[in-house]
Amino acid sequence: MTYVAKFARLHSPIHYPKPDGVVSFDVPTSLFRSNTNHEHDQPAHLHLRDPTIPELVNLPEYAGSESRYCPARVYEYVPDDNGQPKLHINAQNCLHCKACDIKDPKQNIEWTVPEGGGGPGYSVM
């Protein structure tokens, strides 16, 4: 089945309950528990094919969906020097779930295997 992105204006925002610390957890706790590790000096394994698409297409049309579909909040919009939202990629938090490779409405994110075997190290699975 193919994923079809729909414009954000056609939908109401989903309000999720806050993490309860028993069954659901906040992002920093989840990242800690995943034992995610990437060397800080390694090349980024996440690239934008067209760096203009996030701000020109994804943010206005899809309400910046990349900031919501990633479970590790790798993608976030932060203000640039002019106060305009700009996509920032926190590749060091990546859990290698490939949601970005599947759910990006314009297929603009290129996910490659990171060097050195970095990523999550689930020890209890």
Side-chain angles (χ1 to χ4, degrees):
M1 187 159 122
T2 303
Y3 173 76
V4 179
K6 297 185 180 177
F7 294 121
R9 69 178 178 273
L10 301 175
H11 303 279
S12 299
I14 299 171
H15 298 285
Y16 294 100
K18 292 192 182 290
D20 63 13
V22 176
V23 176
S24 59
F25 302 92
D26 60 14
V27 172
T29 301
S30 296
L31 285 171
F32 175 77
R33 290 182 172 198
S34 73
N35 199 22
T36 296
N37 182 38
H38 294 92
E39 295 298 327
H40 294 287
D41 60 349
Q42 74 175 329
H45 69 285
L46 302 165
H47 300 278
L48 299 175
R49 290 182 173 98
D50 180 344
T52 65
I53 286 179
E55 293 82 19
L56 295 180
V57 179
N58 289 357
L59 189 57
E61 297 293 335
Y62 305 103
S65 59
E66 55 272 85
S67 66
R68 293 188 314 280
Y69 59 62
C70 177
R73 298 222 179 104
V74 168
Y75 306 95
E76 65 178 332
Y77 283 90
V78 295
D80 65 10
D81 293 338
N82 299 321
Q84 298 301 312
K86 179 85 175 153
L87 183 67
H88 179 73
I89 301 174
N90 300 303
Q92 70 277 9
N93 289 355
C94 185
L95 296 171
H96 303 190
C97 69
K98 297 199 70 173
C100 59
D101 200 27
I102 298 164
K103 300 203 58 111
D104 187 61
K106 297 297 179 185
Q107 294 294 288
N108 189 42
I109 299 170
E110 184 176 356
W111 187 97
T112 58
V113 177
E115 71 175 31
Y122 300 108
S123 60
V124 293
M125 297 182 84

